[in-house]
Amino acid sequence: GENVEQHPSTLSVQEGDSAVIKCTYSDSASNYFPWYKQELGKGPQLIIDIRSNVGEKKDQRIAVTLNKTAKHFSLHITETQPEDSAVYFCAARTADSWGKLQFGAGTQVVVTP
Amino acid sequence: DGGITQSPKYLFRKEGQNVTLSCEQNLNHDAMYWYRQDPGQGLRLIYYSQIVNDFQKGDIAEGYSVSREKKESFPLTVTSAQKNPTAFYLCASTHRGLDNQPQHFGDGTRLSIL
C-alpha cells in the first residue's frame, strides 16, 4: 500500500520568512495530493491540492510542487504570518483506492513575530 | 451552511463500556470515513463507506464498529474490545465517483478513559 513520509516534524520560522514542508510517497500510481492545515482542537482544513498532471499550483501565499519522477511533493508558504501557525498534513491517493487518503505524520509550524 | 457535524466534542468511557460517536453531513456526499489521530501522528483510517448499507475496514478497524443506514450519517462505536481508545476521532466525507475530490472533515470528538 501507499506510504507517505513528511519532513520536518517541527518547523519554526520568523514572521515574513518562507516555510517549506516536504513529503515523499511510495506508490507511483498515486495521482492526487492534498494538503491540510489543522488548528488546535479542530478538524483538518484543505488548503491546497494538486493532481498528477500538474507540476505546480499556487494560491496567494501558498504553493505546492510535485515531482512525479522522484515521488515527492512540497508545500511552500511565503511571507509567513502568526496565523499560519498550525499542524500541516500532506496526503496521497491512488485512483483505485476508494477515495482513501494516506496521510503523512504532520509538521508543527510555529511562526514567531 | 453545509458541513460535517461531529458530536459530542468530548466523551468519556468507563471500563467495559461501548460508546458511540456521531457524524452527520449535509453535503450530499456518498463516501464517509472515520480516522483516529494520536498525538504527534498522522490520521489513521478506521472504517469507510462508499454507499448506504455498505462499509469496509480501514487500517485499524479492530475494536471498532460502524453502520451506514442513511446517506447523511455514519456513527462509530468504540467497543470494550478497543483497549487503547483514548484519541481524537475525525469524520470526513467526499463525493464518490468524481475523480480526486477532496475530503472534508468535521471538528472531531476527543475520547478519554475514566
Side-chain angles (χ1 to χ4, degrees):
Chain A
E2 176 64 277
N3 182 49
V4 177
E5 293 191 358
Q6 183 172 347
H7 299 281
S9 57
T10 59
L11 181 60
S12 183
V13 295
Q14 290 275 68
E15 183 177 357
D17 287 350
S18 295
V20 181
I21 304 170
K22 299 182 179 181
C23 289
T24 60
Y25 60 98
S26 60
D27 191 341
S28 57
S30 290
N31 61 1
Y32 175 66
F33 308 91
W35 284 90
Y36 287 87
K37 175 184 180 181
Q38 186 178 27
E39 297 177 344
L40 197 61
K42 298 282 190 179
Q45 295 280 318
L46 179 75
I47 55 172
I48 196 166
D49 57 9
I50 192 167
R51 289 151 177 81
S52 59
N53 58 347
V54 175
E56 184 174 357
K57 183 177 178 180
K58 190 173 181 180
D59 183 2
Q60 298 183 347
R61 297 186 297 107
I62 294 174
V64 57
T65 58
L66 171 65
N67 183 327
K68 286 192 297 180
T69 303
K71 290 191 282 188
H72 67 69
F73 57 112
S74 300
L75 179 72
H76 304 253
I77 306 174
T78 58
E79 300 171 23
T80 53
Q81 301 167 5
E83 52 264 37
D84 293 329
S85 296
V87 179
Y88 291 81
F89 292 97
C90 63
R93 185 165 77 199
T94 56
D96 61 349
S97 64
W98 295 94
K100 293 184 293 179
L101 289 170
Q102 191 69 38
F103 284 85
T107 297
Q108 174 75 60
V109 174
V110 177
V111 180
T112 52
Chain B
D1 277 4
I4 301 174
T5 302
Q6 290 189 242
S7 62
K9 192 168 180 65
Y10 300 96
L11 188 58
F12 298 91
R13 195 190 89 169
K14 295 179 181 179
E15 289 284 343
Q17 185 182 45
N18 294 350
V19 291
T20 298
L21 286 60
S22 170
C23 178
E24 303 276 333
Q25 55 95 3
N26 60 4
L27 299 167
N28 198 33
H29 285 167
D30 301 290
M32 297 187 73
Y33 307 82
W34 274 106
Y35 293 92
R36 170 179 172 140
Q37 186 175 29
D38 293 285
Q41 296 190 32
L43 283 65
R44 292 184 291 167
L45 184 65
I46 304 172
Y47 266 98
Y48 62 103
S49 169
Q50 296 289 307
I51 197 168
V52 173
N53 292 324
D54 186 52
F55 48 83
Q56 284 79 38
K57 293 181 179 179
D59 300 323
I60 55 166
E62 186 173 349
Y64 301 96
S65 66
V66 293
S67 62
R68 187 84 188 278
E69 297 177 1
K70 298 188 299 181
K71 185 177 183 178
E72 303 79 16
S73 178
F74 190 40
L76 173 74
T77 297
V78 184
T79 73
S80 57
Q82 173 49 249
K83 297 308 179 188
N84 183 24
T86 297
F88 191 48
Y89 290 87
L90 289 159
C91 178
S93 69
T94 190
H95 285 294
R96 182 178 70 96
L98 296 178
D99 193 33
N100 293 330
Q101 292 299 305
Q103 289 186 14
H104 299 269
F105 285 84
D107 276 338
T109 292
R110 189 165 298 280
L111 175 62
S112 302
I113 294 294
L114 280 178

